[in-house]
Amino acid sequence: MDEAIRNMKDVNASHKELEARELSLVPDLVIPHDFKMPDFEKYDGTSCPLIHLRMFCRKMEGYLSSDDLLIHSFHDSLVGPTIVWYNQLTQEQIKRWVVLANAFLGQYLYVKGLAPTRMDLRRVKKKTNERFHEYALRWRGVAAQVQPPILEEEISCMFRDSLPAPFFELMQANPTKEFENLVTSGDLIENVISEENSKVTSKSPTDQKAKAMM
């Protein structure tokens, strides 16, 4: 009889652990009727955690006074192993947003020390079949992680220096300091190159042979 009672208590205890309020990190959360979950940049544990926190909070502007909503929404900004870490947190551990933010920084602070340097950024080069716009976004993504941060006025110069021919030579004549303008110029150059290549390949072998005999 005593053993049966103990088993019943164990079952009741396990059922309590499965109740929604026990599984939730913020069981008393009331989501504002006008709230729409932002489209967060997903953090996978391989980039600077502080930068991710800044990006998250800027996406949540207008709701920064709601600790419960911040804690709840943070889950949607994570992916892969970082979600596993989040799901291991308990209500007892996380009472306020600042506690969650500090726990997150503590968990992934080592990644900050692995952030790319300026030397790493200089090694980033455009791939042979990579579209210019894709390369610009990839390069800027790495540049955003460099520690210490690169000054905005240095960005355009470093990006221009990373370009292969003929982009580099043609960009030298472009005095703009705006990264966006360099990307626009690069796209235009790429389009011109593509059109010229199309003209060459569209000529038939007969036409090319006849032109050579003239």
Side-chain angles (χ1 to χ4, degrees):
M1 179 66 71
D2 291 341
E3 184 176 353
I5 293 175
R6 283 197 299 271
N7 289 337
M8 290 180 63
K9 288 182 178 179
D10 291 340
V11 170
N12 290 335
S14 64
H15 283 174
K16 183 179 180 181
E17 292 177 356
L18 294 177
E19 290 181 2
R21 288 186 60 83
E22 296 298 323
L23 294 173
S24 174
L25 202 55
V26 278
D28 296 320
L29 170 68
V30 177
I31 299 178
H33 70 277
D34 61 342
F35 177 74
K36 182 179 179 181
M37 189 69 72
D39 184 17
F40 297 113
E41 186 77 21
K42 305 296 184 182
Y43 183 80
D44 62 0
T46 61
S47 58
C48 178
L50 183 57
I51 291 176
H52 180 71
L53 284 175
R54 287 174 179 165
M55 292 173 62
F56 172 80
C57 288
R58 288 170 186 176
K59 286 272 189 177
M60 290 294 291
E61 286 179 354
Y63 302 95
L64 297 180
S65 61
S66 175
D67 276 23
D68 284 356
L69 187 58
L70 290 172
I71 294 170
H72 169 75
S73 302
F74 194 62
H75 178 277
D76 277 64
S77 75
L78 306 177
V79 68
T82 59
I83 291 181
V84 176
W85 169 81
Y86 178 93
N87 286 335
Q88 291 174 344
L89 300 173
T90 66
Q91 297 175 23
E92 290 70 25
Q93 292 174 308
I94 309 300
K95 298 292 186 181
R96 299 175 56 207
W97 159 251
V98 69
V99 176
L100 174 59
N102 281 327
F104 176 73
L105 280 179
Q107 179 71 17
Y108 296 102
L109 190 60
Y110 72 93
V111 181
K112 187 177 180 181
L114 302 177
T117 64
R118 289 168 181 258
M119 186 62 68
D120 294 324
L121 183 60
R122 293 186 188 281
R123 296 192 187 102
V124 178
K125 301 297 180 183
K126 184 178 180 296
K127 300 175 184 177
T128 303
N129 296 322
E130 188 174 25
R131 297 298 301 272
F132 186 88
H133 204 88
E134 293 173 352
Y135 169 65
L137 293 177
R138 180 168 65 87
W139 187 93
R140 189 63 190 256
V142 176
Q145 300 177 49
V146 170
Q147 295 294 329
I150 303 174
L151 298 177
E152 192 62 32
E153 50 266 29
E154 296 180 84
I155 291 289
S156 295
C157 182
M158 293 186 69
F159 177 66
R160 190 187 292 112
D161 289 344
S162 78
L163 299 175
F167 294 98
F168 176 77
E169 290 79 5
L170 295 173
M171 289 286 191
Q172 286 295 88
N174 189 345
T176 183
K177 294 183 179 180
E178 298 294 330
F179 181 82
E180 292 77 9
N181 291 341
L182 286 177
V183 176
T184 300
S185 297
D187 287 340
L188 291 174
I189 293 171
E190 185 176 63
N191 289 337
V192 171
I193 294 173
S194 179
E195 290 175 3
E196 291 298 321
N197 290 339
S198 296
K199 290 178 181 178
V200 172
T201 56
S202 64
K203 293 181 179 180
S204 67
T206 303
D207 291 340
Q208 293 180 11
K209 184 176 180 180
K211 185 176 181 180
M213 294 175 62
M214 291 177 63

